[in-house]
Amino acid sequence: MTTENPQDLLKLAVEVAEEAARLIVERRRGTITVADTKSTVTDVVTAVDRESEELIRARILQARPDDSFLGEEGDDVAGSSGVRWVVDPIDGTVNYLYDLPTYAVSIAVEYDGTTVAGVVVDAPKGEVFTATKGGGAFVDGKPIRVSGCTDLSTALVGTGFGYDADRRQVQAEVVQHLITKVRDIRRIGVGALDLCYVACGRLDAVYERGLNPWDYGAGALIAAEAGGTIGGLHGAPVSPEMSIATSPALFGPFHDLLAEANPLRA
């Protein structure tokens, strides 16, 4: 039993995520340029990614100086409280760079290794997806549930692609395997929002290889608390190897269809 109150942790997470979302929307009114690259020349970081993460880290550690912090862009901070904040300051940086109005701030809060609270703020739209472990999932304070889709052929599926060319080749082959067996496929470009869209029924299933803990930490909790089934392949948990989230009836058949395509071979 956690000695931390997940609702208190969520309250701070929401306040900080909303402040960061306002910052990045305001900065987008100016000129955005690439500050650095990561895994490939197309895997970009902007100065605003770093500014957003610095704001989030400062606010959280000011309020809770004994906590740990894991962010996408900066140095990790070790703490002693058992609480760790897992942060993506801009999920969807390429969308942000191109001024495509879909990108998000994601903050998950772990206690002793278990995610107990999470928030994803769709920054341009202002939608706020939240969940606490055992407390349900919400958008803008209203309860949400996954879709009731039970038939793979009518499922709307979300996914994303990596930046490495060899992995993208395999991912294209996986899409080719799936595309005739589902309603359609969407590539939104924001892993955290993909998971939230499953949570509220805008997508029936999502899968992606290469998501990191800051991408799926909050969204996976939100999808699970909305009644979704979450996991990896062959009984594995969600991880950078594979993340899958679906309405409950779809998980088995969708998992098997995905496994047939052997998406882990690159």
Side-chain angles (χ1 to χ4, degrees), residues 108-133:
V109 195
E110 300 173 349
Y111 182 73
D112 285 351
T114 297
T115 304
V116 297
V119 57
V120 176
V121 178
D122 182 330
K125 290 179 70 176
E127 282 189 324
V128 181
F129 295 89
T130 59
T132 53
K133 188 169 180 60

Side-chain angles (χ1 to χ4, degrees), residues 77-176:
V77 176
S80 59
S81 67
V83 172
R84 183 171 78 154
W85 300 76
V86 182
V87 171
D88 195 335
I90 305 178
D91 191 12
T93 297
V94 173
N95 284 359
Y96 186 72
L97 179 66
Y98 279 79
D99 202 16
L100 293 170
T102 308
Y103 46 89
V105 176
S106 175
I107 301 178
V109 195
E110 300 173 349
Y111 182 73
D112 285 351
T114 297
T115 304
V116 297
V119 57
V120 176
V121 178
D122 182 330
K125 290 179 70 176
E127 282 189 324
V128 181
F129 295 89
T130 59
T132 53
K133 188 169 180 60
F138 302 84
V139 60
D140 296 337
K142 299 175 182 177
I144 52 176
R145 296 292 294 176
V146 296
S147 80
C149 184
T150 60
D151 184 347
L152 208 52
S153 68
T154 64
L156 187 61
V157 177
T159 193
F161 305 123
Y163 292 99
D164 176 78
D166 291 337
R167 178 169 289 185
R168 290 171 75 86
Q169 176 63 43
V170 171
Q171 290 171 327
E173 293 167 8
V174 172
V175 168
Q176 186 176 21

Side-chain angles (χ1 to χ4, degrees), residues 4 9 12 57-69 77-85 109-112:
E4 297 284 350
L9 296 171
L12 177 59
R57 181 170 56 244
R59 293 287 187 271
I60 288 170
L61 295 182
Q62 181 181 34
R64 297 182 56 91
D66 296 328
D67 291 355
S68 302
F69 186 93
V77 176
S80 59
S81 67
V83 172
R84 183 171 78 154
W85 300 76
V109 195
E110 300 173 349
Y111 182 73
D112 285 351

